[in-house]
Amino acid sequence: MNDLRWHVAPENDYRAVAALPLAPEPTVTVVIPVYNRIDLLHRTLSGLVSSSYPKGLLEIVVADDGSEEDVSVALADLGDELRVTVVRQEHVGYGAGRARNLGATKSNGEVAVFVDADCIPDPDLVTRHVQWHRRADNLVVIGSRHHLDASQITPQQLAAGSAGLRDRVGGRDAGVDPMVPDDFRRLFYRRTARLRTGDDAFRSLVSSNFSIRRDRFLELGGFAEDFNRWGGEDTELGWRLFNAGLYFVPEDEAAIYHQTQEDGGDAPEWRQDARSANDGIIQAKIPHRFYRKSQPGYVYETPKVSWIVTPAVDKRADEIWDQILAQSYTDFEVILLGGGPVADRLGEMLVGDPRLVVIPPEDSAHDQMRSAVDASRGEYIALLHGWASLDHRLLGRAVRRLEGFPRTSLLRCGYQVVDSEGAISYVYDDAIADIDDGWQSNGLPIFALSRRREWAKAMRLESDLAGVWRRVVELSETRFMRDAMVAVPGPGETGPMPDRFPAVTGERSHLMDDLTQGGLKRAATAASSYAFAKARRRPYRPVETGLPERVAKAASPETAQPPGITYIGWLGKSNFGDDIMLQSIQGLLPDAVVGSHLPAQRRMVMLGGGTLINRARYLGDLRRYDTPRVERAVFGSGVADPDYWGLTEPVPEWLNFLDRCGYVGVRGPRSAALLREWDYAGSLEVVGDPALSILPPTDVSRNEGLVVVSPAWTDGELWGGTDDAVFAALAATVRSLRDAGREIAYLSCFAGDDRHIMEIMRQSGSGDARYLAAYDDIEGGVALLAEAGVVIAERLHAAVIAAACETPFVAIEYRPKIRDFASSIEQEAMVIRSDEVGREQLLGLVEQASSGAMTAELKVAVAVFRKRQKAAAAQLMRLLDS
């Protein structure tokens, strides 16, 4: 370990590294494996002649994998400007990984930059790599790769730096930095916030252009040498480096230009065939869910989970081993700390079983735990106290829970605490810390499942175990699994501990039963609402014509399954507006499956309509699906205005999500302005409320004398802080309108509004007026709003559907989202705030709305948004195709 800083941050967040002080320029070795194709190597070496990095600190090692061609030919005209060493190994099948390892072993540089022999380096390649390594010691820097036919570029041009390489690859997608890699990583970087989020960063490592501190590379074993076909050894190395706590940093300016003139295309078939042939070895070595679906009973070379039993209670070593073997999830290894006669005997007896490791005593608990972490190979570490007993379902449930939340790094579960008389108490959530403290003297928990990566980060920084565990917790997003699936004797129990402690029975507390039943009830309600929305959508086709022909092909019989979109919104609440927004998006995307429950073919997570951004719960919902394997989009959501709500969620986290979206369309101009105020710089449009796509029914005639009133009960959460004043103004307005001969009807958008509608009826003497529960009859709600001459809407979607039906409306702004919508269709003049509303103001706006001019304005504005939403839907389908 040198004096450079060991960078530590959650996930793969490397941003703070850029602000660390620069160490002196290190010596650098460029390692180039080669097998024949010496003319390509000649250009690669010539490109390094024009490197901007000081030549006195730069060496080149060409690692020859037993070429039949004479490698020295490529060095003939380089002169003395480069220090080039050639090392050679015998060619025994595919040997690029072995050659790279040989080159690194024979090199002298502090930093190793790996470049393939068919890739021309950019003059700034080495400089750009090294700028990161000068700041931290645990980085893997990922350069960019671009494809180029270099047949017309001479080695002399490259050596002189006059080949104009960047100009030759420029001019690609508008709005995209031309130096972003010209391969799968272009999309991958966007979906992972340039590798900062989630647990997939290791997949970015491509062996043709990356760098690492040489001592880190050798310490962690270099490339696996048992890949005897092309493809996968770089991903496997990336996995080990990532699992060891290194940070992957994309540096697009560190570019190489892959020479394609001899490839027969950028991706010859043999490459894909060879990579597919390596699927078995990749699954054996990489436990990450992208590559492996663990099969019961299989023993993989690299396990998914490493159990670390600390302290290991020697007399229970056999029992702990048996309980772990009894787990329904079998992809694991077991590491016992402490040793002792029973553990030693177990280790000797099972010496041929790769799943068991016994770590002998060391000078300190920290050193022993460090040895255990170093010995562990799993993606996860399951920490376990030696006196604990396990439910056989524990590991399976815990792994599934962590796999379901890709950005979560730590999982805890409830405990069963058994007293000396056998009575069981159940402990959950934060209360388990008291049980941990009562049992563990070293600051560790009785049970926790966490990513090994976080332990690898923390062990470098802390000298005591309690500090290591605190650091692991700080680095991790934690979730609690409320099942009590670990049992321990109660802290402070007197008398000797029993030789054997009974295994967990799987019982749970009454509290758990109640919670489970409540959860099932909520799930059933949500499912019912979703089914109801689907059933109600058929009469409405929100787009006047189908999607473009290229998109519509997705619905052809030849297509296996339509793509799935997980819709995040305020569903299952018996709310007319939220249900009709989902219905609208389903209509705009008829060739996809859109719903709140994940279909098997999910390819996108969509933040749907509603005011969801900055609303204190939706970031958590989105994180559950936060993986680079799905696209992200925002369609019609609003931003909760900080002028009313304050900031309820961290803005950087929202920007992190938005930056990774393939499409961002918000409800209104205020929402767009807020995102720009937050420094969101990505593509953004005002796409309008999704429900504007609803077409009015053709069999309903306008009744100019009808005024539809749709109040909202907010429980005091509105401008002015009281619903009573708004209801009083509505009652007085209704009384005046009835006196003037207008017909009144009430539309309830939410069940919670009903009793307040009845109170308005009572105050205004309009108990004989029509009433419709739109939350239970979407078709009827749309028809009533289409029939009205004017709508007085406090509920947002009474105004939105009125606009969609070209019905004039007056909107009461109880919260800023009302004005945001009205501004989008240029009707802000028809909005009055709830703390300013009165009978005279409402009557004046109703008279203005009744003049007829508003109908024509709505027709033009709504047509604009329908066209815009259809175009956005086509863009979403293209993203799904990608």
mmCIF file of all heavy atoms in Angstrom, residues 430-471:
data_model
loop_
_atom_site.group_PDB
_atom_site.id
_atom_site.type_symbol
_atom_site.label_atom_id
_atom_site.label_comp_id
_atom_site.label_asym_id
_atom_site.label_seq_id
_atom_site.Cartn_x
_atom_site.Cartn_y
_atom_site.Cartn_z
ATOM 1 N N ASP A 430 -34.897 -1.938 13.641
ATOM 2 C CA ASP A 430 -33.795 -1.324 14.385
ATOM 3 C C ASP A 430 -33.594 -1.964 15.758
ATOM 4 O O ASP A 430 -32.501 -1.880 16.332
ATOM 5 C CB ASP A 430 -34.049 0.172 14.562
ATOM 6 C CG ASP A 430 -33.993 0.919 13.233
ATOM 7 O OD1 ASP A 430 -33.309 0.417 12.317
ATOM 8 O OD2 ASP A 430 -34.630 1.982 13.109
ATOM 9 N N ALA A 431 -34.626 -2.622 16.299
ATOM 10 C CA ALA A 431 -34.513 -3.212 17.634
ATOM 11 C C ALA A 431 -33.524 -4.374 17.671
ATOM 12 O O ALA A 431 -33.056 -4.756 18.747
ATOM 13 C CB ALA A 431 -35.880 -3.684 18.111
ATOM 14 N N ILE A 432 -33.193 -4.940 16.519
ATOM 15 C CA ILE A 432 -32.247 -6.056 16.528
ATOM 16 C C ILE A 432 -30.849 -5.603 16.965
ATOM 17 O O ILE A 432 -30.044 -6.425 17.390
ATOM 18 C CB ILE A 432 -32.173 -6.759 15.152
ATOM 19 C CG1 ILE A 432 -31.621 -5.819 14.084
ATOM 20 C CG2 ILE A 432 -33.530 -7.314 14.752
ATOM 21 C CD1 ILE A 432 -31.466 -6.490 12.717
ATOM 22 N N ALA A 433 -30.584 -4.292 16.876
ATOM 23 C CA ALA A 433 -29.263 -3.790 17.298
ATOM 24 C C ALA A 433 -29.022 -4.070 18.775
ATOM 25 O O ALA A 433 -27.888 -4.338 19.189
ATOM 26 C CB ALA A 433 -29.157 -2.294 17.005
ATOM 27 N N ASP A 434 -30.085 -4.019 19.598
ATOM 28 C CA ASP A 434 -29.914 -4.302 21.025
ATOM 29 C C ASP A 434 -29.508 -5.758 21.239
ATOM 30 O O ASP A 434 -28.695 -6.059 22.137
ATOM 31 C CB ASP A 434 -31.218 -4.009 21.773
ATOM 32 C CG ASP A 434 -31.571 -2.533 21.752
ATOM 33 O OD1 ASP A 434 -30.640 -1.708 21.625
ATOM 34 O OD2 ASP A 434 -32.771 -2.201 21.843
ATOM 35 N N ILE A 435 -30.072 -6.669 20.466
ATOM 36 C CA ILE A 435 -29.698 -8.078 20.582
ATOM 37 C C ILE A 435 -28.263 -8.276 20.094
ATOM 38 O O ILE A 435 -27.480 -9.001 20.718
ATOM 39 C CB ILE A 435 -30.669 -8.959 19.774
ATOM 40 C CG1 ILE A 435 -32.124 -8.647 20.160
ATOM 41 C CG2 ILE A 435 -30.365 -10.429 19.989
ATOM 42 C CD1 ILE A 435 -32.429 -8.849 21.624
ATOM 43 N N ASP A 436 -27.918 -7.618 18.990
ATOM 44 C CA ASP A 436 -26.530 -7.695 18.502
ATOM 45 C C ASP A 436 -25.551 -7.242 19.582
ATOM 46 O O ASP A 436 -24.543 -7.909 19.855
ATOM 47 C CB ASP A 436 -26.352 -6.817 17.263
ATOM 48 C CG ASP A 436 -27.083 -7.350 16.048
ATOM 49 O OD1 ASP A 436 -27.331 -8.575 15.986
ATOM 50 O OD2 ASP A 436 -27.399 -6.547 15.154
ATOM 51 N N ASP A 437 -25.858 -6.112 20.209
ATOM 52 C CA ASP A 437 -24.953 -5.563 21.215
ATOM 53 C C ASP A 437 -24.836 -6.493 22.418
ATOM 54 O O ASP A 437 -23.768 -6.589 23.043
ATOM 55 C CB ASP A 437 -25.444 -4.188 21.672
ATOM 56 C CG ASP A 437 -25.331 -3.135 20.580
ATOM 57 O OD1 ASP A 437 -24.585 -3.381 19.615
ATOM 58 O OD2 ASP A 437 -26.006 -2.086 20.687
ATOM 59 N N GLY A 438 -25.928 -7.179 22.742
ATOM 60 C CA GLY A 438 -25.894 -8.068 23.891
ATOM 61 C C GLY A 438 -25.085 -9.323 23.648
ATOM 62 O O GLY A 438 -24.589 -9.946 24.590
ATOM 63 N N TRP A 439 -24.934 -9.709 22.384
ATOM 64 C CA TRP A 439 -24.233 -10.956 22.080
ATOM 65 C C TRP A 439 -22.802 -10.736 21.618
ATOM 66 O O TRP A 439 -21.913 -11.505 21.945
ATOM 67 C CB TRP A 439 -25.007 -11.720 20.994
ATOM 68 C CG TRP A 439 -25.876 -12.774 21.582
ATOM 69 C CD1 TRP A 439 -27.222 -12.733 21.755
ATOM 70 C CD2 TRP A 439 -25.442 -14.024 22.108
ATOM 71 N NE1 TRP A 439 -27.669 -13.868 22.356
ATOM 72 C CE2 TRP A 439 -26.587 -14.689 22.591
ATOM 73 C CE3 TRP A 439 -24.205 -14.645 22.251
ATOM 74 C CZ2 TRP A 439 -26.538 -15.945 23.173
ATOM 75 C CZ3 TRP A 439 -24.157 -15.899 22.824
ATOM 76 C CH2 TRP A 439 -25.308 -16.542 23.285
ATOM 77 N N GLN A 440 -22.601 -9.728 20.803
ATOM 78 C CA GLN A 440 -21.306 -9.578 20.147
ATOM 79 C C GLN A 440 -20.435 -8.587 20.906
ATOM 80 O O GLN A 440 -20.852 -7.465 21.187
ATOM 81 C CB GLN A 440 -21.485 -9.081 18.702
ATOM 82 C CG GLN A 440 -22.149 -10.099 17.781
ATOM 83 C CD GLN A 440 -21.148 -11.101 17.229
ATOM 84 O OE1 GLN A 440 -20.191 -11.468 17.914
ATOM 85 N NE2 GLN A 440 -21.367 -11.567 16.027
ATOM 86 N N SER A 441 -19.239 -8.989 21.222
ATOM 87 C CA SER A 441 -18.275 -8.071 21.848
ATOM 88 C C SER A 441 -17.421 -7.349 20.809
ATOM 89 O O SER A 441 -16.682 -6.440 21.147
ATOM 90 C CB SER A 441 -17.359 -8.854 22.806
ATOM 91 O OG SER A 441 -16.636 -9.854 22.088
ATOM 92 N N ASN A 442 -17.523 -7.770 19.552
ATOM 93 C CA ASN A 442 -16.663 -7.188 18.520
ATOM 94 C C ASN A 442 -17.393 -6.190 17.623
ATOM 95 O O ASN A 442 -16.840 -5.725 16.639
ATOM 96 C CB ASN A 442 -16.039 -8.286 17.657
ATOM 97 C CG ASN A 442 -17.106 -9.206 17.056
ATOM 98 O OD1 ASN A 442 -18.289 -8.869 17.038
ATOM 99 N ND2 ASN A 442 -16.682 -10.359 16.552
ATOM 100 N N GLY A 443 -18.634 -5.869 17.981
ATOM 101 C CA GLY A 443 -19.371 -4.865 17.217
ATOM 102 C C GLY A 443 -20.059 -5.371 15.978
ATOM 103 O O GLY A 443 -20.662 -4.583 15.248
ATOM 104 N N LEU A 444 -19.993 -6.681 15.697
ATOM 105 C CA LEU A 444 -20.615 -7.247 14.503
ATOM 106 C C LEU A 444 -22.030 -7.723 14.807
ATOM 107 O O LEU A 444 -22.362 -8.031 15.958
ATOM 108 C CB LEU A 444 -19.777 -8.410 13.972
ATOM 109 C CG LEU A 444 -18.349 -8.081 13.549
ATOM 110 C CD1 LEU A 444 -17.644 -9.345 13.057
ATOM 111 C CD2 LEU A 444 -18.332 -7.010 12.474
ATOM 112 N N PRO A 445 -22.887 -7.826 13.808
ATOM 113 C CA PRO A 445 -24.245 -8.312 14.029
ATOM 114 C C PRO A 445 -24.289 -9.837 14.137
ATOM 115 O O PRO A 445 -23.344 -10.533 13.740
ATOM 116 C CB PRO A 445 -24.985 -7.838 12.773
ATOM 117 C CG PRO A 445 -23.935 -7.841 11.711
ATOM 118 C CD PRO A 445 -22.667 -7.414 12.401
ATOM 119 N N ILE A 446 -25.392 -10.343 14.648
ATOM 120 C CA ILE A 446 -25.580 -11.795 14.711
ATOM 121 C C ILE A 446 -25.745 -12.370 13.314
ATOM 122 O O ILE A 446 -25.188 -13.415 12.976
ATOM 123 C CB ILE A 446 -26.797 -12.120 15.595
ATOM 124 C CG1 ILE A 446 -26.486 -11.755 17.043
ATOM 125 C CG2 ILE A 446 -27.187 -13.596 15.476
ATOM 126 C CD1 ILE A 446 -27.688 -11.817 17.956
ATOM 127 N N PHE A 447 -26.524 -11.662 12.481
ATOM 128 C CA PHE A 447 -26.668 -12.083 11.084
ATOM 129 C C PHE A 447 -26.827 -10.843 10.211
ATOM 130 O O PHE A 447 -27.557 -9.905 10.557
ATOM 131 C CB PHE A 447 -27.881 -12.993 10.873
ATOM 132 C CG PHE A 447 -28.161 -13.249 9.408
ATOM 133 C CD1 PHE A 447 -27.412 -14.195 8.703
ATOM 134 C CD2 PHE A 447 -29.126 -12.520 8.723
ATOM 135 C CE1 PHE A 447 -27.639 -14.414 7.348
ATOM 136 C CE2 PHE A 447 -29.362 -12.732 7.367
ATOM 137 C CZ PHE A 447 -28.609 -13.687 6.680
ATOM 138 N N ALA A 448 -26.167 -10.869 9.075
ATOM 139 C CA ALA A 448 -26.362 -9.834 8.047
ATOM 140 C C ALA A 448 -25.876 -10.399 6.724
ATOM 141 O O ALA A 448 -24.877 -11.131 6.673
ATOM 142 C CB ALA A 448 -25.592 -8.557 8.393
ATOM 143 N N LEU A 449 -26.578 -10.072 5.668
ATOM 144 C CA LEU A 449 -26.140 -10.427 4.318
ATOM 145 C C LEU A 449 -25.779 -9.140 3.606
ATOM 146 O O LEU A 449 -26.609 -8.238 3.480
ATOM 147 C CB LEU A 449 -27.253 -11.163 3.566
ATOM 148 C CG LEU A 449 -26.869 -11.667 2.164
ATOM 149 C CD1 LEU A 449 -25.855 -12.811 2.258
ATOM 150 C CD2 LEU A 449 -28.111 -12.131 1.394
ATOM 151 N N SER A 450 -24.536 -9.040 3.161
ATOM 152 C CA SER A 450 -24.084 -7.791 2.537
ATOM 153 C C SER A 450 -23.155 -8.111 1.379
ATOM 154 O O SER A 450 -22.629 -9.220 1.259
ATOM 155 C CB SER A 450 -23.367 -6.915 3.560
ATOM 156 O OG SER A 450 -22.302 -7.624 4.149
ATOM 157 N N ARG A 451 -22.935 -7.136 0.554
ATOM 158 C CA ARG A 451 -22.025 -7.327 -0.577
ATOM 159 C C ARG A 451 -20.583 -7.421 -0.070
ATOM 160 O O ARG A 451 -20.147 -6.608 0.752
ATOM 161 C CB ARG A 451 -22.147 -6.175 -1.569
ATOM 162 C CG ARG A 451 -23.486 -6.106 -2.251
ATOM 163 C CD ARG A 451 -23.468 -5.144 -3.427
ATOM 164 N NE ARG A 451 -24.823 -4.951 -3.913
ATOM 165 C CZ ARG A 451 -25.467 -5.791 -4.716
ATOM 166 N NH1 ARG A 451 -24.845 -6.874 -5.136
ATOM 167 N NH2 ARG A 451 -26.703 -5.543 -5.101
ATOM 168 N N ARG A 452 -19.876 -8.387 -0.579
ATOM 169 C CA ARG A 452 -18.453 -8.510 -0.226
ATOM 170 C C ARG A 452 -17.705 -7.237 -0.589
ATOM 171 O O ARG A 452 -16.755 -6.836 0.087
ATOM 172 C CB ARG A 452 -17.830 -9.704 -0.949
ATOM 173 C CG ARG A 452 -16.362 -9.923 -0.616
ATOM 174 C CD ARG A 452 -15.704 -10.907 -1.564
ATOM 175 N NE ARG A 452 -14.349 -11.224 -1.155
ATOM 176 C CZ ARG A 452 -13.283 -10.473 -1.426
ATOM 177 N NH1 ARG A 452 -13.424 -9.342 -2.113
ATOM 178 N NH2 ARG A 452 -12.084 -10.837 -1.012
ATOM 179 N N ARG A 453 -18.101 -6.599 -1.671
ATOM 180 C CA ARG A 453 -17.444 -5.378 -2.137
ATOM 181 C C ARG A 453 -17.372 -4.331 -1.027
ATOM 182 O O ARG A 453 -16.344 -3.652 -0.895
ATOM 183 C CB ARG A 453 -18.209 -4.848 -3.354
ATOM 184 C CG ARG A 453 -17.785 -3.488 -3.850
ATOM 185 C CD ARG A 453 -18.543 -3.133 -5.131
ATOM 186 N NE ARG A 453 -18.356 -1.737 -5.484
ATOM 187 C CZ ARG A 453 -17.286 -1.259 -6.101
ATOM 188 N NH1 ARG A 453 -16.293 -2.065 -6.417
ATOM 189 N NH2 ARG A 453 -17.192 0.022 -6.399
ATOM 190 N N GLU A 454 -18.446 -4.199 -0.236
ATOM 191 C CA GLU A 454 -18.441 -3.172 0.810
ATOM 192 C C GLU A 454 -17.460 -3.541 1.917
ATOM 193 O O GLU A 454 -16.814 -2.675 2.501
ATOM 194 C CB GLU A 454 -19.853 -2.987 1.372
ATOM 195 C CG GLU A 454 -20.943 -2.772 0.334
ATOM 196 C CD GLU A 454 -20.608 -1.683 -0.674
ATOM 197 O OE1 GLU A 454 -19.905 -0.712 -0.315
ATOM 198 O OE2 GLU A 454 -21.040 -1.805 -1.835
ATOM 199 N N TRP A 455 -17.330 -4.831 2.223
ATOM 200 C CA TRP A 455 -16.325 -5.260 3.203
ATOM 201 C C TRP A 455 -14.921 -4.987 2.691
ATOM 202 O O TRP A 455 -14.043 -4.549 3.441
ATOM 203 C CB TRP A 455 -16.493 -6.750 3.501
ATOM 204 C CG TRP A 455 -17.648 -7.041 4.396
ATOM 205 C CD1 TRP A 455 -18.920 -7.341 4.031
ATOM 206 C CD2 TRP A 455 -17.632 -7.024 5.824
ATOM 207 N NE1 TRP A 455 -19.716 -7.520 5.133
ATOM 208 C CE2 TRP A 455 -18.936 -7.351 6.258
ATOM 209 C CE3 TRP A 455 -16.648 -6.800 6.774
ATOM 210 C CZ2 TRP A 455 -19.283 -7.428 7.606
ATOM 211 C CZ3 TRP A 455 -16.987 -6.883 8.127
ATOM 212 C CH2 TRP A 455 -18.290 -7.191 8.520
ATOM 213 N N ALA A 456 -14.685 -5.252 1.416
ATOM 214 C CA ALA A 456 -13.358 -5.019 0.854
ATOM 215 C C ALA A 456 -12.984 -3.544 0.924
ATOM 216 O O ALA A 456 -11.825 -3.189 1.191
ATOM 217 C CB ALA A 456 -13.319 -5.513 -0.590
ATOM 218 N N LYS A 457 -13.960 -2.665 0.705
ATOM 219 C CA LYS A 457 -13.700 -1.230 0.829
ATOM 220 C C LYS A 457 -13.343 -0.870 2.271
ATOM 221 O O LYS A 457 -12.362 -0.169 2.554
ATOM 222 C CB LYS A 457 -14.937 -0.427 0.423
ATOM 223 C CG LYS A 457 -15.376 -0.526 -1.019
ATOM 224 C CD LYS A 457 -16.681 0.240 -1.172
ATOM 225 C CE LYS A 457 -17.304 0.112 -2.541
ATOM 226 N NZ LYS A 457 -18.599 0.807 -2.635
ATOM 227 N N ALA A 458 -14.179 -1.352 3.208
ATOM 228 C CA ALA A 458 -14.066 -0.907 4.595
ATOM 229 C C ALA A 458 -12.831 -1.461 5.294
ATOM 230 O O ALA A 458 -12.245 -0.787 6.154
ATOM 231 C CB ALA A 458 -15.326 -1.305 5.361
ATOM 232 N N MET A 459 -12.417 -2.690 4.972
ATOM 233 C CA MET A 459 -11.287 -3.308 5.669
ATOM 234 C C MET A 459 -10.006 -2.510 5.483
ATOM 235 O O MET A 459 -9.094 -2.575 6.319
ATOM 236 C CB MET A 459 -11.070 -4.740 5.171
ATOM 237 C CG MET A 459 -12.171 -5.727 5.499
ATOM 238 S SD MET A 459 -12.501 -6.007 7.258
ATOM 239 C CE MET A 459 -10.961 -6.669 7.824
ATOM 240 N N ARG A 460 -9.903 -1.765 4.390
ATOM 241 C CA ARG A 460 -8.687 -0.974 4.132
ATOM 242 C C ARG A 460 -8.579 0.241 5.042
ATOM 243 O O ARG A 460 -7.490 0.798 5.207
ATOM 244 C CB ARG A 460 -8.695 -0.494 2.679
ATOM 245 C CG ARG A 460 -8.503 -1.610 1.669
ATOM 246 C CD ARG A 460 -7.038 -1.850 1.419
ATOM 247 N NE ARG A 460 -6.822 -2.893 0.430
ATOM 248 C CZ ARG A 460 -5.665 -3.142 -0.131
ATOM 249 N NH1 ARG A 460 -4.609 -2.416 0.204
ATOM 250 N NH2 ARG A 460 -5.519 -4.114 -1.010
ATOM 251 N N LEU A 461 -9.708 0.668 5.610
ATOM 252 C CA LEU A 461 -9.726 1.965 6.277
ATOM 253 C C LEU A 461 -9.807 1.895 7.788
ATOM 254 O O LEU A 461 -9.419 2.840 8.469
ATOM 255 C CB LEU A 461 -10.923 2.783 5.769
ATOM 256 C CG LEU A 461 -10.929 3.125 4.279
ATOM 257 C CD1 LEU A 461 -12.176 3.911 3.944
ATOM 258 C CD2 LEU A 461 -9.694 3.921 3.897
ATOM 259 N N GLU A 462 -10.344 0.794 8.326
ATOM 260 C CA GLU A 462 -10.605 0.730 9.760
ATOM 261 C C GLU A 462 -9.726 -0.327 10.410
ATOM 262 O O GLU A 462 -9.464 -1.383 9.834
ATOM 263 C CB GLU A 462 -12.087 0.407 10.010
ATOM 264 C CG GLU A 462 -13.059 1.374 9.348
ATOM 265 C CD GLU A 462 -13.001 2.759 9.943
ATOM 266 O OE1 GLU A 462 -12.485 2.906 11.075
ATOM 267 O OE2 GLU A 462 -13.469 3.715 9.279
ATOM 268 N N SER A 463 -9.314 -0.053 11.649
ATOM 269 C CA SER A 463 -8.408 -0.963 12.347
ATOM 270 C C SER A 463 -9.120 -1.836 13.371
ATOM 271 O O SER A 463 -8.493 -2.714 13.970
ATOM 272 C CB SER A 463 -7.302 -0.163 13.043
ATOM 273 O OG SER A 463 -7.875 0.766 13.950
ATOM 274 N N ASP A 464 -10.406 -1.588 13.629
ATOM 275 C CA ASP A 464 -11.143 -2.447 14.554
ATOM 276 C C ASP A 464 -12.435 -2.890 13.881
ATOM 277 O O ASP A 464 -12.972 -2.212 12.995
ATOM 278 C CB ASP A 464 -11.447 -1.718 15.864
ATOM 279 C CG ASP A 464 -12.424 -0.569 15.672
ATOM 280 O OD1 ASP A 464 -11.983 0.498 15.160
ATOM 281 O OD2 ASP A 464 -13.609 -0.733 15.998
ATOM 282 N N LEU A 465 -12.944 -4.050 14.310
ATOM 283 C CA LEU A 465 -14.100 -4.640 13.632
ATOM 284 C C LEU A 465 -15.346 -3.782 13.758
ATOM 285 O O LEU A 465 -16.141 -3.698 12.822
ATOM 286 C CB LEU A 465 -14.364 -6.036 14.190
ATOM 287 C CG LEU A 465 -13.498 -7.154 13.627
ATOM 288 C CD1 LEU A 465 -13.928 -8.488 14.193
ATOM 289 C CD2 LEU A 465 -13.598 -7.183 12.102
ATOM 290 N N ALA A 466 -15.539 -3.170 14.917
ATOM 291 C CA ALA A 466 -16.713 -2.315 15.075
ATOM 292 C C ALA A 466 -16.681 -1.170 14.056
ATOM 293 O O ALA A 466 -17.695 -0.816 13.452
ATOM 294 C CB ALA A 466 -16.794 -1.764 16.497
ATOM 295 N N GLY A 467 -15.491 -0.608 13.853
ATOM 296 C CA GLY A 467 -15.349 0.447 12.860
ATOM 297 C C GLY A 467 -15.589 -0.047 11.450
ATOM 298 O O GLY A 467 -16.186 0.640 10.625
ATOM 299 N N VAL A 468 -15.111 -1.259 11.155
ATOM 300 C CA VAL A 468 -15.351 -1.841 9.834
ATOM 301 C C VAL A 468 -16.848 -1.996 9.597
ATOM 302 O O VAL A 468 -17.365 -1.632 8.533
ATOM 303 C CB VAL A 468 -14.641 -3.205 9.708
ATOM 304 C CG1 VAL A 468 -15.065 -3.899 8.420
ATOM 305 C CG2 VAL A 468 -13.131 -3.023 9.736
ATOM 306 N N TRP A 469 -17.554 -2.550 10.583
ATOM 307 C CA TRP A 469 -18.993 -2.765 10.416
ATOM 308 C C TRP A 469 -19.735 -1.434 10.255
ATOM 309 O O TRP A 469 -20.621 -1.302 9.412
ATOM 310 C CB TRP A 469 -19.545 -3.552 11.590
ATOM 311 C CG TRP A 469 -21.045 -3.688 11.558
ATOM 312 C CD1 TRP A 469 -21.945 -3.212 12.456
ATOM 313 C CD2 TRP A 469 -21.822 -4.346 10.546
ATOM 314 N NE1 TRP A 469 -23.223 -3.511 12.077
ATOM 315 C CE2 TRP A 469 -23.174 -4.226 10.901
ATOM 316 C CE3 TRP A 469 -21.483 -5.012 9.372
ATOM 317 C CZ2 TRP A 469 -24.202 -4.745 10.130
ATOM 318 C CZ3 TRP A 469 -22.515 -5.545 8.599
ATOM 319 C CH2 TRP A 469 -23.849 -5.406 8.976
ATOM 320 N N ARG A 470 -19.362 -0.425 11.040
ATOM 321 C CA ARG A 470 -19.995 0.891 10.883
ATOM 322 C C ARG A 470 -19.778 1.422 9.472
ATOM 323 O O ARG A 470 -20.687 1.991 8.856
ATOM 324 C CB ARG A 470 -19.440 1.884 11.913
ATOM 325 C CG ARG A 470 -19.987 1.711 13.313
ATOM 326 C CD ARG A 470 -19.666 2.915 14.187
ATOM 327 N NE ARG A 470 -18.237 3.148 14.296
ATOM 328 C CZ ARG A 470 -17.456 2.597 15.244
ATOM 329 N NH1 ARG A 470 -17.997 1.777 16.140
ATOM 330 N NH2 ARG A 470 -16.163 2.867 15.288
ATOM 331 N N ARG A 471 -18.589 1.215 8.946
ATOM 332 C CA ARG A 471 -18.279 1.697 7.597
ATOM 333 C C ARG A 471 -19.106 0.936 6.564
ATOM 334 O O ARG A 471 -19.615 1.524 5.609
ATOM 335 C CB ARG A 471 -16.795 1.547 7.313
ATOM 336 C CG ARG A 471 -16.371 2.051 5.956
ATOM 337 C CD ARG A 471 -16.259 3.548 5.888
ATOM 338 N NE ARG A 471 -15.151 4.053 6.673
ATOM 339 C CZ ARG A 471 -14.608 5.265 6.484
ATOM 340 N NH1 ARG A 471 -15.078 6.054 5.535
ATOM 341 N NH2 ARG A 471 -13.610 5.679 7.245
#
